[in-house]
Structures are given as C-alpha cells and as structure tokens.
Amino acid sequence: MRDPNTVAVIVNALRLVHGDDLARVMLNDGLSLAALIDALLLSPMKNRDAIKQIARLLSSGDFIVTPDFGSVWHLK
C-alpha cells in the first residue's frame, strides 16, 4: 500500500454507510466513483475532508480507477 491512511478512511466510510458485508463486496467487485463519493459525503467527516480524501484516493495508486483521470488537479 502506498497510502494506508487513505485506504483506511475509504474502507471505514464504506463500512459506516453500507455495513461491513456490503463494503467488502463493493471493494472486491468494484464500485463506481459516484458510490464512493456518496459514501464519503454521508460519513461523519466534514465535506471538505471528504473531498481531500477523494483527491488522495485518485492520486495514491492504491485503487484501480478506470478510466484514468490523470492528474487530480485538472478535474473540473
């Protein structure tokens, strides 16, 4: 793992919002970026912190993101 803290935040957010079993399935089978954003925004963290975690997720290389968005800082 390149960024274990980001992975832990993502996994915890999915577990809080969807439960442990469904979070495991989502991580194993894949999930949409929209579902991940939704889980982070519904988690108890502040929206600003959720957005920072999404940016870290996209640039960390710990998750496979398709299609490749390139540099996070160029998203509009």
Side-chain angles (χ1 to χ4, degrees):
M1 267 188 276
R2 295 179 184 134
D3 190 356
N5 292 331
T6 299
V7 173
V9 168
I10 300 301
V11 171
N12 286 334
L14 288 171
R15 289 176 70 201
L16 285 172
V17 173
H18 297 290
D20 190 43
D21 292 335
L22 188 55
R24 287 176 193 241
V25 170
M26 294 172 89
L27 289 168
N28 190 41
D29 294 346
L31 66 147
S32 69
L33 188 57
L36 180 63
I37 291 170
D38 187 47
L40 285 170
L41 292 176
L42 290 174
S43 70
M45 73 175 71
K46 294 180 182 178
N47 287 350
R48 182 178 69 181
D49 295 331
I51 298 304
K52 286 181 183 179
Q53 292 301 325
I54 293 166
R56 287 185 185 140
L57 162 84
L58 292 174
S59 63
S60 73
D62 285 324
F63 294 92
I64 299 170
V65 180
T66 49
D68 185 15
F69 288 108
S71 178
V72 175
W73 309 116
H74 292 103
L75 292 177
K76 293 182 180 181

